[in-house]
Amino acid sequence: MTAATPTADRPRLTRWLLRLHRPALCVWAGLALALAALLLALAGPLADAAAEGWRQYNACAMSPRCSYGQDAILRYKDYYNYATIALNLLPFAVAAWAGAALTGKELESGTARLAWTQATSPARWLAVRLAVPALVVALCTGLLGWLHHRAWAASQGRIDSAKEWYDRFTFHANGPTLAALALCGLAAGALAGLLLRRALPALIVGVLVTGGVRALAELALPHLWPAVTRTSAVDRFAPGAGLEVEQGMVTRDGAHVPMPSCNTPAECDAAYRDFTGRYNIFHPLSHFWPLQLTTTALVLAVAGLLAAGCFLALRRVTGPLWPGRTAKAPTGTAKALKAAV
């Protein structure tokens, strides 16, 4: 008999991974299709109906006998909020699945250790578990982010209650930051599973880490691109609309200081007496894509660090990660093999 080649004996990890997580893949596909259909409707008939309702409302001039499509306006607002919130929750769902099922459950049940004894190196095992879901997550969230931006753009200038581009939920659903946050959630969940080796704790920690990365990204967002500064007289508000960075007063020597607090007209006159103007530092609409791309790069860098941490954490469990090196025999696997013999 001809000896089987190592390549033939090596398990087909990608096929095994897809079969093992088939329920999660089906749920993900169904959710992505539902959201895509909703976003297409928001960019088309729902936006058109809401825009017509607002046109009728503005033409009414507050006349008590005038009617307008209020139901269409409210329906668009509700569905837009549902879709936007759902997209913002996707990175947390990915983190929960990655921590609970992708790594945590397999280490807790011992199936990962069994795979390492069947001509599969730990490094290849982990690489497949990160690369295949990352490809699926990046493609789906990238497409959904593009569809959301398309739906948002269809409302601008037509629907008076449409969200601004700098709304925190709209911004993160409106571009590549959605895919970056989802990939960060995947890496955070996988790392939590490798460190804790239990499904439920890894689920919780993965979600918390993803939330922390998003919070830090939102704090850094206004400072990732040079902002625009506008000034005005003391008795007028400084012009400029967009993502606010800072507002305050201009002193006689040109320094920028925070707004003074006062309660009575006399206190306010005294508080504002020594100022020569107001200032407003903000990001206009033209900064949308620079902020999107810089935020995406920042979050992807964090995701890369978390992915590297996954391999370091796996090395603590298995020893050397690559074939041809002697790895530490996992205790659970050794006992299982002895019992089988």
Side-chain angles (χ1 to χ4, degrees):
M1 296 180 63
T2 304
T5 63
T7 303
D9 289 339
R10 180 175 294 175
R12 298 181 179 180
L13 292 181
T14 302
R15 180 181 298 179
W16 282 15
L17 180 66
L18 294 177
R19 290 185 63 182
L20 181 63
H21 298 282
R22 184 183 301 171
L25 183 62
C26 292
V27 171
W28 178 265
L31 181 60
L33 290 175
L35 286 173
L38 179 56
L39 291 171
L40 288 173
L42 285 169
L46 291 177
D48 294 338
E52 177 62 20
W54 275 109
R55 188 195 65 78
Q56 295 171 357
Y57 175 82
N58 293 326
C60 284
M62 303 304 292
S63 173
R65 297 184 178 181
C66 185
S67 62
Y68 62 96
Q70 183 180 19
D71 291 341
I73 294 174
L74 296 178
R75 187 182 305 114
Y76 175 87
K77 180 180 179 181
D78 290 340
Y79 287 169
Y80 178 89
N81 289 335
Y82 297 153
T84 304
I85 293 174
L87 290 182
N88 277 266
L89 291 177
L90 286 182
F92 298 96
V94 172
W97 170 78
L102 186 63
T103 55
K105 184 178 179 180
E106 292 205 32
L107 288 172
E108 184 177 10
S109 63
T111 55
R113 298 175 183 274
L114 181 61
W116 301 336
T117 65
Q118 297 179 352
T120 299
S121 67
R124 184 169 178 267
W125 174 88
L126 180 57
V128 171
R129 269 157 181 74
L130 290 178
V132 175
L135 179 62
V136 175
V137 167
L139 289 176
C140 289
T141 53
L143 176 61
L144 291 174
W146 175 76
L147 289 175
H148 188 278
H149 188 272
R150 183 171 175 268
W152 172 83
S155 68
Q156 298 304 294
R158 304 172 62 205
I159 300 175
D160 293 2
S161 59
K163 295 290 186 180
E164 299 290 349
W165 68 271
Y166 51 85
D167 173 75
R168 58 184 299 188
F169 294 107
T170 294
F171 181 85
H172 289 296
N174 238 8
T177 56
L178 176 63
L181 286 169
L183 292 175
C184 188
L186 174 66
L191 178 57
L194 291 167
L195 290 175
L196 301 176
R197 307 176 203 174
R198 294 177 59 193
L200 183 58
L203 182 154
I204 297 173
V205 172
V207 170
L208 291 177
V209 171
T210 304
V213 172
R214 174 178 171 131
L216 292 176
E218 290 185 357
L219 289 175
L221 173 63
H223 312 287
L224 295 177
W225 195 257
V228 175
T229 302
R230 296 287 183 268
T231 59
S232 67
V234 176
D235 57 346
R236 297 180 181 180
F237 289 103
L243 176 62
E244 180 182 322
V245 179
E246 184 182 342
Q247 289 184 344
M249 306 300 297
V250 181
T251 62
R252 295 184 185 278
D253 58 358
H256 290 179
V257 298
M259 290 279 190
S261 59
C262 57
N263 297 320
T264 64
E267 290 180 359
C268 291
D269 290 341
Y272 285 84
R273 184 177 303 160
D274 295 330
F275 297 119
T276 61
R278 298 172 182 258
Y279 73 92
N280 181 24
I281 303 177
F282 68 100
H283 291 284
L285 176 60
S286 59
H287 288 190
F288 170 77
W289 281 113
L291 289 174
Q292 273 280 339
L293 296 177
T294 51
T295 305
T296 300
L298 176 64
V299 176
L300 286 178
V302 176
L305 292 175
L306 292 173
C310 289
F311 286 92
L312 294 177
L314 183 61
R315 185 175 182 179
R316 292 181 57 188
V317 178
T318 65
L321 301 177
W322 304 100
R325 301 179 184 178
T326 303
K328 292 189 301 184
T331 304
T333 304
K335 292 182 178 179
L337 291 176
K338 290 181 180 179
V341 174

